[in-house]
Amino acid sequence: MLQVTSPWFFLYAFLFLGAYAQDCLEFLFSQATLRRWWSEQRIWLIRGLTCYLFGTLEYLMQILGIATHGFNVTSKAVDDEQSKRYHQGLFEFGVPSPIFLPLATAAIINFAAFLYGTMLVLKGGNTEDVFVQLFIAGFGVLNCLPIYEAMIIRTDKGKMPTKTTITSIIIACGLYLAAFLMLQI
């Protein structure tokens, strides 16, 4: 386990922060804003957990000869309310879709991990042992703020469908239970 006092920690921290700083500076030098850069970081997370995952599954199913759904062209008509949310920089989750399940599930798991790590630190645990894990989970929580907002706070048509939120909670609990049982073996 990587500890904060380890010399290797500083190397990893430097590489992590350096990569993000370089990416941010390149974004800013190309006449973009800091807010747009941060949204791009969130989009990277969304792409990694949704379209890349489903694209890989689709490809594997085609190779195995299993029938797939294929790609459907959908209407991209935008009403005034959607346009307003777009200009405010809000993510649109209003349509029920299985694509949101891994995204919402990962957000819930990140939040639970962050709360658990914080609880360990507050109980007097060794901060050095959980610092890296807490940092990674906290970074995940920061990236998932629009998802939490869509699941809990928002009341407009762009909010996360309740069915998707509940299904994600059930999947996250199931994954936690499976991990707990595997650790008991």
Side-chain angles (χ1 to χ4, degrees):
M1 181 180 340
L2 188 62
Q3 294 183 337
V4 178
T5 56
S6 167
W8 290 104
F9 171 78
F10 296 108
L11 174 66
Y12 288 118
F14 173 76
L15 292 174
F16 177 81
L17 294 173
Y20 265 87
Q22 179 185 2
D23 187 50
C24 182
L25 286 174
E26 287 175 4
F27 227 79
L28 293 175
F29 287 144
S30 68
Q31 307 301 321
T33 63
L34 194 60
R35 182 177 177 165
R36 186 172 178 151
W37 172 78
W38 187 246
S39 290
E40 182 68 25
Q41 300 307 303
R42 291 174 174 167
I43 291 295
W44 178 85
L45 170 81
I46 291 170
R47 280 193 313 249
L49 290 173
T50 57
C51 60
Y52 294 160
L53 172 67
F54 281 94
T56 302
L57 291 175
E58 179 90 11
Y59 176 73
L60 291 174
M61 289 172 59
Q62 283 180 350
I63 286 178
L64 296 173
I66 300 171
T68 61
H69 295 311
F71 178 74
N72 296 326
V73 177
T74 58
S75 172
K76 303 294 187 256
V78 177
D79 62 9
D80 289 338
E81 188 178 329
Q82 270 182 314
S83 180
K84 180 181 171 188
R85 287 191 299 269
Y86 173 78
H87 290 295
Q88 290 174 336
L90 296 173
F91 287 93
E92 189 70 33
F93 297 102
V95 180
S97 172
I99 289 237
F100 297 142
L101 279 175
L103 192 60
T105 303
I108 292 166
I109 290 171
N110 267 332
F111 189 70
F114 184 73
L115 286 179
Y116 181 72
T118 303
M119 184 183 70
L120 287 177
V121 169
L122 292 176
K123 279 187 172 181
N126 188 355
T127 307
E128 187 171 301
D129 290 341
V130 296
F131 178 80
V132 175
Q133 293 88 340
L134 195 58
F135 177 78
I136 292 170
F139 188 73
V141 167
L142 273 176
N143 269 323
C144 292
L145 285 177
I147 300 164
Y148 303 132
E149 179 185 11
M151 291 190 320
I152 299 167
I153 298 171
R154 286 175 61 179
T155 56
D156 57 16
K157 291 181 182 177
K159 72 177 189 148
M160 183 81 69
T162 306
K163 182 179 177 182
T164 303
T165 302
I166 292 170
T167 305
S168 296
I169 291 170
I170 292 169
I171 292 170
C173 289
L175 289 171
Y176 172 77
L177 184 61
F180 178 76
L181 292 175
M182 295 214 26
L183 289 174
Q184 299 300 318
I185 295 177

